[in-house]
Amino acid sequence: MTTKADYPLKVNYCGICSLPPEYCQNGPFFDKCKEWMEDNLPEDYAKIFLNKTAEELEAMSLGNEKKKQTRGGKAMKNITKKQEVQRQVVVGRSMRARKKYVTLVRGLKTCDLDLKKCSKSFGQKFACGSSITREDEITVQGDVVDDMVDFIVDELGVDLNSVLDGGDIKD
């Protein structure tokens, strides 16, 4: 048989996780909630946590700590140092259709440049379409090889000896 409840109901909420005290043990901050509840809601603390043994409380807190996950997972543990790579940027052109050409820029990652930002700056500088087509390749519409070499050296700060004119590139 159920008992009649007096309305409006007064529900207490945890000041840490904002859940009702019965659900704090399922929340992400169980240890902090427990301390807060012991200070601010002693009746709820006694009703919920002291009916259990100390071993059960400790097992609950240890089990909750194991569930915490850091960003990156297992792959982050196997990070190795970057190998020294020869810094070399190759700028060439490739025929698209009949007399149309596209300019290909390869090797910007070896100079630690962000491909997305470089692609955007190429498109703005040469007033044309520019996109990242492969892992380390940017395609710029039009034959702008000579201007591209000057732009990479002057604006992006790449050493002139590192920039090569690749001529006609066949894909």
Side-chain angles (χ1 to χ4, degrees):
M1 300 216 191
T2 60
T3 60
K4 278 219 163 202
D6 293 330
Y7 290 99
L9 293 177
K10 183 176 184 308
V11 179
N12 295 323
Y13 291 98
C14 175
I16 303 295
C17 66
S18 71
L19 295 173
E22 299 85 27
Y23 296 105
C24 282
Q25 60 193 1
N26 300 326
F29 312 109
F30 176 66
D31 295 327
K32 291 180 183 177
C33 291
K34 194 164 69 169
E35 291 173 9
W36 183 89
M37 199 178 310
E38 188 174 11
D39 295 337
N40 297 314
L41 300 172
E43 310 85 34
D44 290 338
Y45 178 81
K47 183 172 73 174
I48 295 170
F49 296 112
L50 298 182
N51 289 340
K52 299 181 180 183
T53 63
E55 295 87 44
E56 289 176 340
L57 285 174
E58 190 171 324
M60 286 171 48
S61 67
L62 290 176
N64 197 17
E65 288 175 10
K66 289 181 184 177
K67 290 181 184 176
K68 291 181 182 176
Q69 181 180 359
T70 58
R71 302 286 270 165
K74 294 179 183 177
M76 293 299 290
K77 294 178 185 175
N78 298 329
I79 293 178
T80 58
K81 291 183 179 178
K82 284 187 176 180
Q83 299 173 354
E84 286 296 320
V85 181
Q86 182 182 1
R87 293 175 174 237
Q88 185 176 11
V89 178
V90 179
V91 180
R93 69 179 190 167
S94 176
M95 184 173 277
R96 189 176 57 123
R98 294 189 189 177
K99 296 179 183 178
K100 305 281 185 178
Y101 288 95
V102 291
T103 302
L104 301 174
V105 182
R106 294 180 179 159
L108 288 173
K109 274 192 175 179
T110 61
C111 297
D112 297 325
L113 295 172
D114 185 21
L115 292 181
K116 191 172 183 180
K117 290 180 181 177
C118 290
S119 175
K120 185 168 183 162
S121 64
F122 293 158
Q124 289 174 346
K125 167 69 176 170
F126 301 112
C128 61
S130 176
S131 64
I132 302 169
T133 52
R134 295 197 183 130
E135 185 177 329
D136 193 16
E137 180 181 80
I138 296 177
T139 302
V140 180
Q141 293 177 356
D143 184 7
V144 290
V145 175
D146 297 330
D147 297 330
M148 181 67 72
V149 172
D150 295 335
F151 182 76
I152 290 173
V153 171
D154 295 338
E155 299 296 322
L156 300 180
V158 178
D159 185 30
L160 181 60
N161 299 330
S162 300
V163 182
L164 301 175
D165 186 355
D168 287 338
I169 299 174
K170 304 241 181 190
D171 276 340

